[in-house]
Amino acid sequence: MLRPIKQFKSEGSMMHRRFAFPFISVVLLLLAATAFAQTGAKHFSGDAWWAHVQFLADDNLEGRETGSEGLRKAQAYVMAQFKKAGLEPAGTDGYTQPVKFVSREIVESESSAELISGGNAQKLVLGDDAYFSTRASLSPDAITAKLVFVGYGLKIPEQNYDDLAGLDLKGKIVVYLAGSPAETPTALSAHYQTALERWKSLKAAGVIGTIGIPNPASMDIPWSRITLSRTHPSMDLVGKEFDETEGLKLSLVFNPANAEKLFAGSGHTFAEIAALGKDRKVLPRFPLAVSLKAHATMKTKAVESANLIAKLPGSDPTLKNEYVVLSAHLDHVGVGEPINGDKIYNGAMDNASGAAAAMEIAASWKDQPHPKRSLLFVIVCAEEKGLLGSKYFAEHPTVPQKSIVADVNIDMFLPIVPIKVLKVQGIAESNLGDLAKDAAAAYGIRVQPDPQPLRNAFIRSDQYSFIRHGVPSVKLDLGFDPGSPDEAVFKQWLTVRYHAPSDDLSQPVDKASAATYEEILRQLLTTIADTEARPQWKPDSFFRRFAQ
Ligand SMILES: [Zn+2]
């Protein structure tokens, strides 16, 4: 059985106390040395990490929304830390890489949607029944179209799976349930549920709009909280290369609790669909008896923000021209609808915690020999807007694209319980999964694949931007064993604090867990940087295709 990390710590202090007794101390030193060889060196205590989190998640920084003064303050802090750590600027303008966005905001008072059946119109209550997604090019001119239920709305050639086959979808609005059939591997399922991939196949089938119904079996946060942020501006990168939903005229997100309205008269019920979706069974597909008529007004404005990029130069004359990226997003969702009287969404765990860990890890090589390859610390903006900062960086990197050998991403790693097991997103996709396992084992920690594949975490953070450009990537988080008390702690955290004002500095955290996590990441980065061969996708990995 592997050693728990607490035992290791007390051994270290015992070694100092007994130093006066020569024989015993030699024996203990030997024991301690063995322990060190097995469990890895220590660089972190968790205290400096928490101090960084305290600065970044302070109410002063107002939730670090992309483009806000709060995020600029956070960025100034991070740059000062990088400078103090002796890292070289590696942006296009010192440590920064400016990024331009367009922000879109729905004006609900000038928007409406109704379901029409047999000449009767039933107005949808925006917020209660559904809300407009600003991903679509919404128009104040009303459009009316028939609805077709398309199951999960997925086309997965690798699985010979096609929810669109045999349906007439030309000029239609499709209704789909979020999720995928059980036989679809996690990574594949996540990939085809991205807005880009989903829209590719829908567009090819002639679809003009979408109504997505969150899968009640895999909703992180209740509808009442999802819908609170619906009038909050969304953002997109400026530039045609970034338009992923060209031709999408209308997009609604529909409350699963009210979704029976869509199915009335179709011969099916949403209850039946949800029951199948819960077990990831294949769903029926059929035309619905209602049409949708909708128009919407959007306000747009230009927003500017930046990524921060810092370099720890490698020590090998050749390998130093290659880069191992450690990425973490610094932005959060800013100020929003109050919950329990609090309107600042501090984002302490999401992702002040990750940016803080990245700063700590970056600083840990000060006055220490550097790894062979260079490390690139990429602290992005606009993750919460759809991985936009990382998408921009991956498309326009500040080092040659081919020189990036790997991305290790930190996002909301959740040190809220004593660390026992690490969840590795992408564990089976590249040999980074094996290296992560070794790094964790050096600190007495097991690894596991994602126990909640339905959450689609593999495509929900910045590593995915690198993966799309062929770069082997992993993301590490604290995990839990199914059925354990820790599972309940994580579930409760997601329900109550995830993307809520209570993800703040008053929540309990485990600093020792954070420190161990940092050790493991530092170890992983060192191994990747020092190993002669570049990390490789596994031969059977779906994501290998992007490396071509
Ligand atoms: Zn988030």
Side-chain angles (χ1 to χ4, degrees), residues 329 332 350 383-384 412 498-499:
H329 77 89
H332 192 54
D350 185 12
E383 188 273 350
E384 302 287 9
M412 212 175 92
Y498 175 60
H499 279 213

Side-chain angles (χ1 to χ4, degrees), residues 325-337:
V325 169
L326 180 65
S327 55
H329 77 89
L330 186 60
D331 67 296
H332 192 54
V333 297
V335 178
E337 287 301 316

Side-chain angles (χ1 to χ4, degrees), residues 263-275:
F263 292 84
S266 70
H268 295 268
T269 63
F270 180 67
E272 160 205 338
I273 302 296

Side-chain angles (χ1 to χ4, degrees), residues 163-240:
D163 276 327
L164 314 181
L167 294 171
D168 172 17
L169 300 176
K170 223 172 190 67
K172 305 288 192 331
I173 293 172
V174 296
V175 177
Y176 66 86
L177 180 72
S180 63
E183 54 272 22
T184 315
T186 311
L188 209 59
S189 150
H191 174 74
Y192 280 106
Q193 287 187 72
T194 56
L196 171 68
E197 294 301 328
R198 195 195 289 279
W199 180 240
K200 263 190 210 164
S201 34
L202 291 176
K203 187 184 178 186
V207 172
I208 61 160
T210 63
I211 298 178
I213 310 173
N215 192 326
S218 57
M219 280 167 78
D220 278 344
I221 55 181
W223 177 262
S224 58
R225 284 220 286 110
I226 295 178
T227 188
L228 274 181
S229 54
R230 72 189 186 276
T231 54
H232 209 75
S234 70
M235 281 187 203
D236 254 318
L237 287 162
V238 173
K240 194 135 182 58

Side-chain angles (χ1 to χ4, degrees), residues 190 335 345 401 411:
V335 178
Y345 288 58
Q401 203 149 36
D411 184 6

